[in-house]
Amino acid sequence: MALRETFRQLRQPAMRRGTINLALASFVSAASEGAGFVLLVPLLASLDATTGQASILPTGLELKLPVLLALFVALVALRAAAEVWRALSVQDLSRALVDSLRMTAVQGMLGARWRWLSGLREGEAEALLVSDINRCAYAVEMLASLVRLTLALAALLAAALVVSPPAALVAAAGALLTYLLFAPVRRRARAIGEDLSERHDAIHANLSRTMRGLRVIKSFEKESEHASLLDHGFSSLRRTERAYIGSNALAQAILQIGGAIVAALAIWAAVAKLSIPLPTVLTLAAIFVRALPLVGQVQAHAQGWAHAAPAFDNARRFIEASQAHTDTAASAPAPNFRTVLSLRDVGVRFAGRESALEHINMEIPANCLVAICGPSGSGKSTLADICSGLTSPDTGTVAIDGTCLEGAMLRSWRSRTAYVQQEPVIFGGTIRDNLRFADAKATDDCMWAALEDAHAGFVREIPGGLDCPVGATGRELSGGEKQRIALARALLRSPDLIILDEATSALDSASEKAIAEALRRMTKKTTVIAIAHRGILPELADQVIRLERGRVVAP
Ligand SMILES: Nc1ncnc2c1ncn2[C@@H]1O[C@H](COP(=O)(O)OP(=O)(O)OP(=O)(O)O)[C@@H](O)[C@H]1O
């Protein structure tokens, strides 16, 4: 599977040139090495003309020692140049393949439907995009080396066939037997490779969970428990890697011994049974000495490939799954939201779970402030996702002013809504960059107006104002400051519908009240759905919807 997938990737137009370069360089390198060995027989024979060795060169092509030596040097130089070309081609090809795979996975992920994205396991995408795809590069390097080594062995075998066919056949049979005997070791390496993928996934998930929970871990004084949890993951990874290295080293050791026995038998047969002249025997010995480590390397690289190849299957599975859940690409105009957003018998059920929403019937009048309340897990966020067009219901319909929202319309409706979540996302860059995320052409005046409405006047006081770097690369903002900037960003979009998912939970009551009043005023231009357990927003709301176990109940 992985081999087919790799070749499919390498056949892509962007990769074709690199693949051809690599194949040519490997061929030139192997052929020049084989030809160099063939030249050894006349070279050795010309050093000792008394051997009576028959020339292996075509009749009439008797070459003098200086010419033979010059040819020999030229072949070595050609091989060295081909090796440089090959090394660069492998690097170019593996990088190109990794970049292309990673971009396909990223595009698949960004283009996927929210329902699929929200069901991804913690750290799953990061593990794939970082470690698995890097392992794909390693797999390609292993495969390229396997091709080179196999070609080199084939060239040596061809040279041995030219020099002495019977001895070459004995050696080839020995090499084939060795390869077949090692099939179980290759299978084991593959199994260890699959295991390694799972361990990498688990470590990524644990790391990202730990990073997000650092504050809780510290305040609960659970540092050492978390350190041992991570250490457990690292040590099990270490054990798996050790098992892999161990099986590799063992295979190498056995191969070295087996190869030496095969070579000794072939030379013994050449001398004792076939009475082959000395220059030929010496050339055969040189070929075997060169071939012996190559056989070991073929085995090691085949194991390396088997160990890394499962990453290709992981990448393919992820890409196929994301593409199977592609969001609608087209965008058909959604109706204008002038009167009412209505939900009729809406139901949502996540795979393997109880219904998140059931038989939801409700109407959200335009230019109103609507609060959605309910206990945790009652379906509030799912309902917000349905209203914002982020996901579509499994049953029932969502309509704007009587027109059902479906298919390509969902996308354009989504672009007319703004969503502010409880844990706001602040991107790297400046505050201005974060605000322009909503509207690339927003003027400073518009940004300040949105910041004022979001009660984020504090931006005027911080050094640099709108140009203050924030997020991962700049000033660390408090939870409440982030919420206010995220709210200003949503307001800048001038949406038809704003959804606040506990978006004021980190604010003090004075700020929350000011924002609630600003939102109330904004209902002249827009509609606001606020998910809020308590606080001023439900008090100021025109309508309160209460959910329990995925159903609307009396407030
Ligand atoms: N992507 C998902 N995959 C599987 N189940 C999900 C997914 N998203 C939500 N659920 C489940 O659907 C139910 C409703 O979840 P939802 O997040 O809508 O509740 P909520 O009322 O917003 O909860 P909270 O107040 O805790 O945020 C829960 O049982 C939740 O576990």
Tab-separated table of all heavy atoms in Angstrom, residues 199 203 206 225-239:
chain	number	residue	atom	x	y	z
A	199	ARG	N	2.751	5.799	18.947
A	199	ARG	CA	3.405	6.416	20.117
A	199	ARG	C	3.668	7.904	19.867
A	199	ARG	O	3.537	8.729	20.753
A	199	ARG	CB	4.706	5.693	20.455
A	199	ARG	CG	4.396	4.347	21.007
A	199	ARG	CD	5.565	3.624	21.580
A	199	ARG	NE	5.239	2.210	21.654
A	199	ARG	CZ	4.419	1.666	22.536
A	199	ARG	NH1	3.876	2.403	23.463
A	199	ARG	NH2	4.144	0.388	22.510
A	203	ILE	N	2.240	11.014	22.141
A	203	ILE	CA	3.118	12.037	22.733
A	203	ILE	C	2.652	13.437	22.326
A	203	ILE	O	2.590	14.347	23.151
A	203	ILE	CB	4.578	11.783	22.298
A	203	ILE	CG1	5.119	10.608	23.109
A	203	ILE	CG2	5.456	13.012	22.518
A	203	ILE	CD1	6.550	10.280	22.888
A	206	ASN	N	-0.441	14.300	24.344
A	206	ASN	CA	-0.090	14.603	25.734
A	206	ASN	C	0.597	15.948	25.861
A	206	ASN	O	0.320	16.714	26.784
A	206	ASN	CB	0.859	13.527	26.285
A	206	ASN	CG	0.081	12.416	26.924
A	206	ASN	OD1	-1.098	12.585	27.197
A	206	ASN	ND2	0.722	11.290	27.150
A	225	GLU	N	3.591	14.749	38.482
A	225	GLU	CA	2.770	13.706	37.856
A	225	GLU	C	2.746	13.857	36.341
A	225	GLU	O	2.844	12.887	35.600
A	225	GLU	CB	1.330	13.764	38.364
A	225	GLU	CG	1.127	12.880	39.561
A	225	GLU	CD	0.341	13.567	40.636
A	225	GLU	OE1	0.944	14.348	41.406
A	225	GLU	OE2	-0.864	13.359	40.678
A	226	HIS	N	2.652	15.136	35.901
A	226	HIS	CA	2.632	15.358	34.451
A	226	HIS	C	3.956	15.036	33.826
A	226	HIS	O	4.021	14.508	32.717
A	226	HIS	CB	2.203	16.796	34.137
A	226	HIS	CG	0.777	16.827	33.697
A	226	HIS	ND1	0.399	16.825	32.390
A	226	HIS	CD2	-0.341	16.797	34.421
A	226	HIS	CE1	-0.907	16.793	32.317
A	226	HIS	NE2	-1.386	16.787	33.547
A	227	ALA	N	5.039	15.368	34.580
A	227	ALA	CA	6.375	15.047	34.057
A	227	ALA	C	6.485	13.530	33.902
A	227	ALA	O	6.979	13.037	32.878
A	227	ALA	CB	7.449	15.570	34.999
A	228	SER	N	5.942	12.755	34.903
A	228	SER	CA	6.091	11.292	34.738
A	228	SER	C	5.187	10.763	33.636
A	228	SER	O	5.560	9.818	32.939
A	228	SER	CB	5.851	10.493	36.023
A	228	SER	OG	5.245	11.221	36.982
A	229	LEU	N	4.029	11.420	33.436
A	229	LEU	CA	3.157	10.992	32.329
A	229	LEU	C	3.892	11.158	30.992
A	229	LEU	O	3.909	10.257	30.145
A	229	LEU	CB	1.886	11.841	32.341
A	229	LEU	CG	0.841	11.454	31.308
A	229	LEU	CD1	0.120	10.192	31.745
A	229	LEU	CD2	-0.172	12.583	31.133
A	230	LEU	N	4.521	12.347	30.844
A	230	LEU	CA	5.259	12.594	29.603
A	230	LEU	C	6.450	11.643	29.506
A	230	LEU	O	6.736	11.098	28.438
A	230	LEU	CB	5.744	14.045	29.542
A	230	LEU	CG	4.640	15.089	29.346
A	230	LEU	CD1	5.209	16.487	29.414
A	230	LEU	CD2	3.948	14.879	28.006
A	231	ASP	N	7.114	11.438	30.660
A	231	ASP	CA	8.287	10.569	30.653
A	231	ASP	C	7.896	9.154	30.248
A	231	ASP	O	8.617	8.476	29.513
A	231	ASP	CB	8.938	10.583	32.050
A	231	ASP	CG	10.228	9.796	32.044
A	231	ASP	OD1	10.991	9.969	31.073
A	231	ASP	OD2	10.473	8.998	32.972
A	232	HIS	N	6.690	8.736	30.706
A	232	HIS	CA	6.211	7.402	30.344
A	232	HIS	C	6.102	7.302	28.814
A	232	HIS	O	6.548	6.317	28.211
A	232	HIS	CB	4.854	7.180	31.009
A	232	HIS	CG	4.265	5.860	30.678
A	232	HIS	ND1	4.760	4.685	31.185
A	232	HIS	CD2	3.239	5.517	29.861
A	232	HIS	CE1	4.056	3.679	30.704
A	232	HIS	NE2	3.130	4.165	29.900
A	233	GLY	N	5.534	8.353	28.197
A	233	GLY	CA	5.402	8.377	26.734
A	233	GLY	C	6.771	8.329	26.057
A	233	GLY	O	6.999	7.555	25.132
A	234	PHE	N	7.704	9.172	26.579
A	234	PHE	CA	9.029	9.219	25.961
A	234	PHE	C	9.741	7.876	26.107
A	234	PHE	O	10.386	7.400	25.177
A	234	PHE	CB	9.904	10.315	26.598
A	234	PHE	CG	9.402	11.704	26.309
A	234	PHE	CD1	9.384	12.679	27.295
A	234	PHE	CD2	8.940	12.046	25.045
A	234	PHE	CE1	8.915	13.956	27.028
A	234	PHE	CE2	8.471	13.323	24.774
A	234	PHE	CZ	8.454	14.280	25.768
A	235	SER	N	9.594	7.261	27.321
A	235	SER	CA	10.348	6.009	27.477
A	235	SER	C	9.750	4.898	26.631
A	235	SER	O	10.484	4.065	26.116
A	235	SER	CB	10.512	5.558	28.931
A	235	SER	OG	9.518	6.057	29.718
A	236	SER	N	8.407	4.922	26.454
A	236	SER	CA	7.873	3.847	25.613
A	236	SER	C	8.296	4.083	24.150
A	236	SER	O	8.552	3.131	23.420
A	236	SER	CB	6.368	3.698	25.782
A	236	SER	OG	5.678	4.508	24.918
A	237	LEU	N	8.439	5.363	23.764
A	237	LEU	CA	8.952	5.658	22.414
A	237	LEU	C	10.394	5.159	22.298
A	237	LEU	O	10.789	4.550	21.304
A	237	LEU	CB	8.890	7.172	22.171
A	237	LEU	CG	9.328	7.652	20.807
A	237	LEU	CD1	8.338	7.219	19.734
A	237	LEU	CD2	9.454	9.170	20.778
A	238	ARG	N	11.151	5.428	23.383
A	238	ARG	CA	12.564	5.029	23.383
A	238	ARG	C	12.681	3.502	23.238
A	238	ARG	O	13.484	3.000	22.473
A	238	ARG	CB	13.177	5.492	24.707
A	238	ARG	CG	14.667	5.705	24.652
A	238	ARG	CD	15.176	6.470	25.856
A	238	ARG	NE	14.698	5.968	27.131
A	238	ARG	CZ	14.096	6.718	28.055
A	238	ARG	NH1	13.872	8.006	27.831
A	238	ARG	NH2	13.732	6.203	29.193
A	239	ARG	N	11.779	2.780	23.967
A	239	ARG	CA	11.847	1.308	23.913
A	239	ARG	C	11.524	0.818	22.502
A	239	ARG	O	12.185	-0.076	21.973
A	239	ARG	CB	10.855	0.703	24.917
A	239	ARG	CG	11.406	0.656	26.341
A	239	ARG	CD	10.580	-0.287	27.198
A	239	ARG	NE	9.193	0.142	27.309
A	239	ARG	CZ	8.760	1.080	28.168
A	239	ARG	NH1	9.604	1.663	28.983
A	239	ARG	NH2	7.493	1.426	28.200
